[in-house]
Amino acid sequence: MLRIEEIESIIEKLPKNEFLELKNWILEKDWQQWDEEIEKDSKKGKLDFLIEEALKEKQQGKLRNF
């Protein structure tokens, strides 16, 4: 397996279009992992406090329309 230093060296040598393609792939991969983490946390009830907080603020008339 390549070490991070080797990967960095390879990336630095990429043509701009391939670098941008790699960058977009990494960003998409990161968002996918984030979405999966949020979904797991939601199913476990770890985000329920956000719903409760929003409902409480709605009852108190603190929510604003954007």
Side-chain angles (χ1 to χ4, degrees):
M1 178 161 254
L2 294 175
R3 298 185 58 214
I4 190 71
E5 293 85 8
E6 295 170 309
I7 295 169
E8 288 171 346
S9 176
I10 293 168
I11 290 172
E12 288 177 347
K13 295 174 186 171
L14 288 175
K16 184 175 182 177
N17 65 323
E18 290 183 20
F19 172 79
L20 293 174
E21 187 177 334
L22 176 62
K23 179 187 78 157
N24 290 335
W25 179 84
I26 290 171
L27 290 171
E28 181 61 32
K29 188 75 171 165
D30 186 50
W31 277 109
Q32 287 174 355
Q33 290 175 347
W34 175 252
D35 287 344
E36 290 170 8
E37 187 176 335
I38 292 292
E39 188 174 331
K40 287 178 188 175
D41 287 349
S42 179
K43 287 180 180 179
K44 291 179 181 178
K46 291 183 176 182
L47 305 176
D48 290 353
F49 74 97
L50 295 171
I51 296 169
E52 293 167 11
E53 184 177 312
L55 290 173
K56 182 179 177 181
E57 291 198 9
K58 181 179 180 183
Q59 290 172 345
Q60 295 174 352
K62 293 182 179 180
L63 295 182
R64 299 180 296 167
N65 292 329
F66 290 97

